[in-house]
Amino acid sequence: MPDVRVLISTEELQARIDELAGAITGDYEGTRPVLVCVLKGAVFFIADLTRRLPFDLEIEFMAVSSYGQSSESSGVVRILKDLDTDIEGRHVLIVEDIIDSGLTLQYLTKSLRTRNPASLEIVTLLSKPSRRTAELECRYTGFEIPNEFVVGYGLDYAEKYRNLPYVGVLDEAG
Ligand code: IMP
Ligand code: MG
């Protein structure tokens, strides 16, 4: 896959996930939180993150989809797969691959808040702050990146490249 330029190496990813895990452990140890993985992009991140969290927790999966074919998020989000558990009174941490406009997570957090969790926070591996249009509070951010389309470590372009062990920039000529 030579058309992908490395932006964040495997080593950098793992070192930063160590730090995030340390912060999350300090905040959540003993609360038995529910970590919500947003499919599919966050699968690699939640797998590496939770293996560094040395306390009881639960893992849940959600799948959401924006309406339409556009690569721009519309902010109108459909829940394709919902949680298997009731989160009322639980400490919930949403685990996301990347926040771009923020519209997807803004919708998701609004929706989950109506279920009355004890707390609701977000950890995202990547963030493109220059693209943010939605008001969104993110508790933990792995890396802030420039406004470039990235793939790998769970992130795809047309379902390709998720299996790269690093985060890279897709060369448009590729
Ligand atoms: P938002 O609603 O604009 O924040 O969109 C977030 C979603 O768009 C992410 O969960 C990804 O699925 C997708 N996305 C945004 N930027 C990228 C990118 O650079 N590469 C791959 N997917 C992206
Ligand atoms: Mg996503």
Side-chain angles (χ1 to χ4, degrees):
M1 290 181 259
D3 47 346
V4 178
R5 166 168 58 86
V6 178
L7 183 68
I8 307 170
S9 70
T10 304
E11 293 71 28
E12 290 172 304
L13 286 170
Q14 299 301 325
R16 183 67 183 130
I17 295 169
D18 266 342
E19 293 176 353
L20 292 172
I24 291 168
T25 299
D27 293 341
Y28 285 89
E29 193 160 24
T31 70
R32 194 172 168 142
V34 180
L35 273 69
V36 175
C37 174
V38 185
L39 293 171
K40 306 174 189 169
V43 164
F44 294 68
F45 179 38
I46 197 168
D48 281 341
L49 179 67
T50 52
R51 281 180 289 179
R52 291 172 163 88
L53 300 179
F55 55 87
D56 290 340
L57 55 83
E58 295 175 29
I59 298 176
E60 286 285 323
F61 294 92
M62 274 188 102
V64 297
S65 166
S66 297
Y67 282 114
Q69 299 295 314
S70 167
S71 63
E72 298 282 307
S73 186
S74 63
V76 183
V77 175
R78 247 181 332 151
I79 293 179
L80 302 177
K81 190 226 170 293
D82 207 338
L83 303 175
D84 291 330
T85 194
D86 184 6
I87 56 167
E88 182 165 358
R90 303 294 303 275
H91 292 282
V92 175
L93 181 60
I94 299 175
V95 181
E96 179 60 301
D97 50 1
I98 186 165
I99 303 177
D100 189 32
S101 70
L103 288 166
T104 303
L105 278 187
Q106 190 184 50
Y107 174 90
L108 198 59
T109 51
K110 253 185 212 162
S111 164
L112 294 182
R113 243 184 222 111
T114 65
R115 305 179 194 184
N116 299 316
S119 68
L120 182 63
E121 302 288 349
I122 299 166
V123 53
T124 187
L125 180 66
L126 307 173
S127 174
K128 294 181 193 170
S130 68
R131 295 265 304 165
R132 200 66 37 82
T133 60
E135 189 81 18
L136 191 69
E137 289 225 356
C138 180
R139 180 83 171 256
Y140 315 93
T141 300
F143 299 89
E144 293 197 339
I145 62 169
N147 181 21
E148 291 186 282
F149 196 83
V150 291
V151 296
Y153 196 71
L155 290 152
D156 74 306
Y157 175 69
E159 297 301 324
K160 232 172 97 175
Y161 305 110
R162 292 193 197 276
N163 54 319
L164 294 177
Y166 52 84
V167 172
V169 175
L170 199 54
D171 181 351
E172 287 185 40

